[in-house]
């Protein structure tokens, strides 16, 4: 009895009679209806997925724009800092030039509203006088401006700042060094090898042809005679030396001691360099940093490197 009632309560499936298409148009229409009925849910899901992905990408794009806008807008609220610029290793013409790169970093720090002061951390035995002159000229022009139009520029000498390095930083507002720092070496050098003795033993002779008499003055397979040596001193080395001395005298003015040995090429340790006027005091790097933070009411410092890439400097550090 119950089974009969259950059978009667079931919904009978109705069969749909298939009508054969009379022409190609009806066939295509039937095929389209069949595909839509079978794949409708899948197509809807795929469509939703595409819309969702598009929404995510668009939303991410708008978010990036808003974040960038917010960062630019709130730039002035970032904490101030002392911009520390490092000058390390030999000053060379590679990578744009050490002096040029140093000048560009100072320029960057000056344009940065969040940089309250500029601190150069130098550790260089010198190098190209041209690069020393490049940095010197920029720093001198910069520090000649009143402090109301620029930022204080201090120097902290690490192990050594000699020759072109000292020329570069001499116009700074203040120069500090450690007691064991080596400072100075005001002078010009020119190096050359003499292989004439070795070449003679090996039976080697180099043929040199020039259109003029003084085209080749220094060559490792040619002995330098007294006349050419004096010519090199008078025409090249002494003019460069005099330019170097004049630049330091102009930068340090009344700070330098009246001592005929100031510019004899000697390097001086911190205390002697201070006594002779090459530096303004003995202070560690952290003390110089703290002094700049105090006078500019700053609590942070950031480091930057003024040196461009140089394969010779890299290999020199390894070897």
């Amino acid at each position: 009895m119950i089974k009969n009632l259950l059978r009667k309560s079931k919904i009978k499936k109705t069969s749909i009679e298939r009508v054969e298409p009379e022409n190609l148009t009806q066939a295509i229409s039937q095929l389209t209806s069949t595909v839509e009925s079978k794949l409708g849910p899948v197509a809807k899901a795929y469509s939703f997925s595409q819309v969702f992905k598009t929404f995510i990408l668009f939303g991410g794009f708008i978010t990036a724009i808003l974040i960038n806008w917010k960062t630019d807008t709130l730039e002035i609220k970032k904490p101030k800092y002392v911009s520390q610029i490092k000058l390390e290793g030999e000053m060379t013409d590679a990578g744009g030039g050490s002096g040029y790169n140093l000048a560009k970093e100072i320029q960057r720090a000056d344009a940065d509203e969040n940089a309250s002061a500029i601190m150069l951390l130098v550790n260089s035995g010198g190098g190209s006088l041209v690069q020393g002159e490049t940095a010197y000229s920029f720093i001198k022009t910069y520090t000649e401006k009143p402090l109301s139009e620029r930022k204080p520029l201090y120097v902290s000498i690490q192990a050594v700042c000699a020759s072109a390095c000292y020329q570069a930083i001499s116009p700074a507002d203040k120069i500090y060094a450690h007691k064991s720092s080596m400072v100075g070496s005001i002078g010009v050098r020119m190096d050359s090898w003499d292989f004439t003795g070795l070449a003679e033993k090996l039976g080697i002779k180099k043929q040199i042809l020039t259109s003029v008499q003084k085209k080749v003055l220094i060559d490792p397979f040619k002995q330098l005679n007294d006349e050419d040596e004096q010519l090199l001193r008078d025409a090249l080395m002494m003019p460069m030396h005099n330019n170097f001395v004049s630049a330091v005298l102009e930068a340090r003015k009344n700070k330098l001691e009246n001592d005929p040995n100031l510019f004899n090429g000697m390097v001086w340790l911190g205390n002697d360099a201070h006594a002779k006027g090459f530096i303004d005091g003995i202070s560690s790097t952290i003390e110089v940093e703290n002094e700049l933070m105090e006078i500019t009411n700053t609590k942070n410092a950031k480091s930057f490197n003024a040196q461009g890439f140089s394969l010779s400097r890299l290999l020199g550090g390894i070897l």
Side-chain angles (χ1 to χ4, degrees):
M1 182 81 175
I2 297 175
K3 288 182 180 182
N4 292 332
L5 290 174
L6 290 173
R7 287 195 193 98
K8 291 179 180 180
S9 64
K10 287 183 178 180
I11 300 174
K12 295 182 180 180
K13 295 182 180 179
T14 58
S15 60
I16 300 175
E17 294 183 2
R18 181 177 178 181
V19 180
E20 293 296 332
E22 296 179 357
N23 51 46
L24 181 60
T25 303
Q26 289 185 1
I28 294 174
S29 177
Q30 287 184 8
L31 179 61
T32 302
S33 300
T34 303
V35 171
E36 288 180 350
S37 63
K38 298 295 184 181
L39 299 182
V42 177
K44 290 180 180 179
Y46 176 77
S47 178
F48 175 77
S49 175
Q50 289 298 103
V51 171
F52 182 73
K53 288 179 180 178
T54 303
F55 176 77
I56 292 297
L57 290 173
F58 182 73
F61 178 71
I62 295 299
T63 302
I65 292 176
L66 291 176
I67 291 175
N68 185 62
W69 172 80
K70 185 177 181 181
T71 301
D72 292 340
T73 304
L74 300 180
E75 188 76 22
I76 56 174
K77 295 184 179 180
K78 287 185 177 180
K80 299 283 186 178
Y81 68 89
V82 172
S83 181
Q84 296 180 340
I85 303 172
K86 295 181 180 180
L87 175 64
E88 299 176 318
E90 181 183 359
M91 296 188 68
T92 71
D93 299 315
S98 304
Y100 173 83
N101 292 326
L102 178 62
K104 293 299 288 185
E105 280 300 316
I106 295 173
Q107 196 173 52
R108 176 204 54 76
D110 181 63
D112 187 349
E113 295 181 356
N114 295 310
S116 60
I118 302 170
M119 178 178 173
L120 306 183
L121 291 91
V122 300
N123 190 18
S124 170
S128 168
L129 280 179
V130 170
Q131 294 305 316
E133 182 181 343
T134 299
Y136 169 92
S137 178
F138 181 86
I139 294 175
K140 185 173 182 295
T141 301
Y142 182 75
T143 54
E144 284 177 345
K145 300 176 184 178
L147 274 173
S148 59
E149 299 178 10
R150 63 175 178 88
K151 297 165 185 179
L153 193 157
Y154 285 20
V155 176
S156 175
I157 297 175
Q158 309 297 291
V160 60
C161 180
S163 197
C165 173
Y166 186 78
Q167 180 187 18
I169 58 95
S170 58
D173 291 321
K174 287 189 178 181
I175 303 174
Y176 293 102
H178 300 76
K179 291 180 180 179
S180 298
S181 299
M182 293 184 288
V183 184
S185 187
I186 311 300
V188 179
R189 60 179 285 179
M190 187 176 292
D191 300 342
S192 175
W193 295 97
D194 183 357
F195 292 154
T196 55
L198 177 62
E200 185 177 351
K201 289 181 180 180
L202 297 175
I204 299 173
K205 186 177 181 180
K206 183 179 181 181
Q207 300 288 349
I208 302 175
L209 299 177
T210 63
S211 61
V212 287
Q213 186 181 5
K214 300 301 181 182
K215 181 64 176 177
V216 179
L217 295 179
I218 298 180
D219 186 278
F221 293 95
K222 173 182 174 293
Q223 281 191 333
L224 182 65
N225 58 49
D226 294 341
E227 179 185 348
D228 289 346
E229 180 180 342
Q230 191 60 46
L231 179 60
L232 288 170
R233 289 183 185 277
D234 294 342
L236 298 179
M237 299 183 69
M238 290 312 299
M240 286 192 289
H241 175 82
N242 293 335
N243 290 339
F244 194 168
V245 171
S246 297
V248 174
L249 287 172
E250 176 64 22
R252 298 297 292 176
K253 293 183 178 176
N254 299 325
K255 296 180 180 180
L256 290 171
E257 185 184 44
N258 185 16
D259 184 348
N261 294 320
L262 281 180
F263 307 116
N264 65 359
M266 181 66 183
V267 291
W268 315 96
L269 292 180
N271 286 325
D272 288 335
H274 184 207
K276 294 179 182 301
F278 284 113
I279 63 175
D280 297 293
I282 301 294
S283 289
S284 66
T285 299
I286 189 67
E287 290 171 338
V288 177
E289 180 183 289
N290 288 338
E291 180 179 339
L292 278 174
M293 287 183 178
E294 182 177 354
I295 65 175
T296 59
N297 193 26
T298 306
K299 297 182 180 180
N300 299 301
K302 289 184 180 180
S303 295
F304 301 88
N305 199 327
Q307 297 286 61
F309 174 76
S310 168
L311 182 59
S312 62
R313 188 182 301 113
L314 175 63
L315 293 177
I318 296 174
L319 300 177

